[in-house]
Amino acid sequence: MVLSDMYVSGILIGLGSFIITGVFHPVIVKMEYHYGKQSWPWLCIPGILLLVCSLFVTTLLSIACGVLAFSLFWSAIELFKQHTRVIQGRAKKNPQRNYD
């Protein structure tokens, strides 16, 4: 079996998911630091748009849009968890913001 005969879509999806996860972790930390937990719509709205977009594109692109959409949804959840970590003192607070 030659490499050109193999289906590499699973590897590409896994690699893409890995990269997306790695990119969003520092983004969430910076978003909470600068804008707080109220910035969650900035993650959910593009996630919804990508989810809808995934319904209208071809197979591999559809999978990539779906993975990115759900990564954005998960990041919105993580934004609230990051806020909790900041309140608990386990993450850096922005001295120019008030925390409730």
Side-chain angles (χ1 to χ4, degrees):
M1 184 177 281
V2 185
L3 183 60
S4 62
D5 295 334
M6 293 184 183
Y7 294 105
V8 295
S9 58
I11 293 171
L12 292 175
I13 293 166
L15 179 63
S17 299
F18 181 74
I19 290 169
I20 289 169
T21 303
V23 166
F24 276 117
H25 176 70
V27 168
I28 294 306
V29 172
K30 295 289 184 187
M31 280 182 74
E32 199 291 323
Y33 183 82
H34 292 289
Y35 306 110
K37 65 181 177 182
Q38 66 272 14
S39 61
W40 67 268
W42 298 352
L43 298 166
C44 282
I45 292 171
I48 292 168
L49 294 174
L50 279 166
L51 200 58
V52 170
C53 181
S54 73
L55 298 171
F56 299 102
V57 294
T58 61
T59 307
L60 195 57
L61 188 57
S62 173
I63 294 168
C65 286
V67 167
L68 185 54
F70 281 97
S71 294
L72 285 163
F73 296 148
W74 184 258
S75 295
I77 294 168
E78 279 299 316
L79 190 62
F80 287 94
K81 291 181 180 180
Q82 178 68 13
H83 182 76
T84 302
R85 288 188 285 270
V86 168
I87 297 298
Q88 293 172 346
R90 295 176 20 213
K92 187 177 176 185
K93 274 189 180 182
N94 184 345
Q96 298 175 344
R97 280 191 33 233
N98 291 330
Y99 290 87
D100 41 28

